[in-house]
Amino acid sequence: MNVGLDMRVLIPAAQRKELSEEVAFAVVCGGGVHGVARWIHAGPSTPQYESKYAEKLRQKAQEQGLELSELRARAKEAARRKEVANVKSAQLSQAHPQRLDKSPSELVRSKVSGTSSTRKDSSPVKALESIINVPKLMSTPHTAEQISALWTTYHASRTGGTGRGFICASVPVKLYNKMLTIGKQYPMFVMPVSRESSSVVSPEGRESALAHEFYFLQWDFHAPPLPPSATGPDPFSRASPDNASALPQTATVLFTPLQEYKLRQSFATPYFILTFYPDFAQTHGIVLLRGEITPSAATAAATPSQDTSTARFLLSQVDAQLLTIGVQKFYLWGSENEDSSQKGDRKAEKLLRQFHEQPEEFNWADLLEHAHLTS
């Protein structure tokens, strides 16, 4: 006998049906997979097998208050459902995409190299200690202005000394808390970036002589960091509730082309990410801002020894600066001072509120006009 043949071609149809039913019975009655496999290779039903499981079948049916035939039918149905569930689970595990939990450069680099550099903790934000030497700054006296200057100098030295691919700034903690409050209330928005073109059509169908590319903006909020210290963070310590509440939450703002977001929703690749680091909010009254532009696949795959001065990114440096200014324009309204300079803030507030609360009244032309006046 050729042992490679399918067992089904060696067993008549009637016996195959009986065989499948007996296998289902064996699983229900606790015979186990290995016992069933041995019985299959031994051949069709035998008096020894029937006498072995007859008593167990009767006990199982009696416990559940069922007839023997009904127990048989339920066993077959349970086996079928289990097989279908296993197939669906396998299909989902292969088709389900991975969500973004890395910085832009780490995401593209992992796709190119096939490796993963995901943080071991639960936060997708790169810790400030991995960028600058926080314990050293805390061990010697530094003013807020000095820390801001070091932050700017560090980012200016990136990408072969050109600073391309990064935006940086320091934000007074009072202004950051205001942005945080508005960002939590209105976490999504769209921002236009002008493009050169002869004639384009706006989302409302109006023709315009100036083209604009729209970017979808989304705020995300993360747990506050541990207060900085001269000895560095202790990975085995937990921050007390008082200390945790002393620092504001860490926040990120993701920018994605609106067209790509429409196609891929939350799985769309962000072109630009702003990260607010509130580590020095309590000690120095500032929040450090870092903007990272997503590099192209070729740039992300480059080795450290290669020249990075000609690195390419998915967004220009000017566009990244305009988007950063846009966050300030649309999320810093509501100041206590009421003068002529607040007219633009009230316009931004109206647009942001309409986008969330009255989308049918949101006017794209007003958005383009306000963006043009404030860019």
Side-chain angles (χ1 to χ4, degrees), residues 124-125 176 218-222 250-254 273-276:
V125 179
Y176 175 68
Q218 182 174 0
W219 285 79
D220 283 325
F221 306 96
H222 314 276
T250 301
T252 56
V253 184
L254 282 67
I273 297 180
L274 289 175
T275 304
F276 293 90

Side-chain angles (χ1 to χ4, degrees), residues 34-50:
H34 298 291
V36 174
R38 288 194 299 270
W39 179 80
I40 290 176
H41 289 287
S45 179
T46 62
Q48 292 82 358
Y49 175 82
E50 293 178 355

Side-chain angles (χ1 to χ4, degrees), residues 25-266:
F25 268 117
V27 174
V28 171
C29 295
V33 176
H34 298 291
V36 174
R38 288 194 299 270
W39 179 80
I40 290 176
H41 289 287
S45 179
T46 62
Q48 292 82 358
Y49 175 82
E50 293 178 355
S51 61
K52 179 179 180 181
Y53 288 102
E55 184 61 28
K56 291 185 178 181
L57 290 173
R58 283 193 293 271
Q59 291 178 359
K60 194 72 175 180
Q62 187 176 9
E63 290 174 0
Q64 299 184 9
L66 302 173
E67 296 292 337
L68 199 58
S69 59
E70 189 176 358
L71 179 64
R72 183 191 297 267
R74 289 194 177 187
K76 291 172 63 177
E77 178 64 17
R80 186 190 67 80
R81 289 182 179 179
K82 184 177 180 180
E83 182 178 358
V84 171
N86 290 338
V87 171
K88 289 184 177 180
S89 177
Q91 291 174 345
L92 287 174
S93 63
Q94 294 176 0
H96 197 281
Q98 183 180 5
R99 296 201 59 160
L100 176 66
D101 59 352
K102 308 172 184 177
S103 66
S105 58
E106 291 173 331
L107 177 71
V108 178
R109 189 178 297 112
S110 64
K111 288 182 178 179
V112 173
S113 62
T115 59
S116 174
S117 57
T118 306
R119 282 165 56 102
K120 300 303 181 182
D121 57 21
S122 59
S123 175
V125 179
K126 182 185 296 184
L128 184 62
E129 289 81 4
S130 65
I131 303 175
I132 60 174
N133 194 333
V134 175
K136 187 173 183 179
L137 291 176
M138 296 299 296
S139 62
T140 54
H142 284 82
T143 64
E145 292 74 16
Q146 290 173 329
I147 293 179
S148 299
L150 289 172
W151 186 246
T152 302
T153 302
Y154 169 80
H155 286 93
S157 67
R158 302 298 91 189
T159 319
T162 64
R164 293 175 59 244
F166 295 96
I167 298 290
C168 69
S170 61
V171 183
V173 64
K174 183 179 179 180
L175 296 182
Y176 175 68
N177 285 330
K178 186 179 298 183
M179 294 175 65
L180 207 62
T181 300
I182 300 175
K184 289 180 179 180
Q185 189 175 3
Y186 304 110
M188 295 178 290
F189 196 55
V190 287
M191 288 189 182
V193 175
S194 60
R195 296 283 184 264
E196 293 184 1
S197 178
S198 57
S199 178
V200 294
V201 179
S202 69
E204 288 184 332
R206 298 180 181 179
E207 188 171 342
S208 172
L210 183 63
H212 291 85
E213 182 179 9
F214 290 87
Y215 281 82
F216 179 77
L217 170 159
Q218 182 174 0
W219 285 79
D220 283 325
F221 306 96
H222 314 276
L226 293 173
S229 66
T231 57
D234 183 0
F236 299 102
S237 66
R238 283 181 171 270
S240 64
D242 293 338
N243 286 337
S245 62
L247 291 177
Q249 282 184 287
T250 301
T252 56
V253 184
L254 282 67
F255 295 90
T256 307
L258 184 58
Q259 290 298 326
E260 182 169 346
Y261 181 80
K262 287 181 178 179
L263 293 175
R264 303 185 62 193
Q265 296 296 314
S266 58

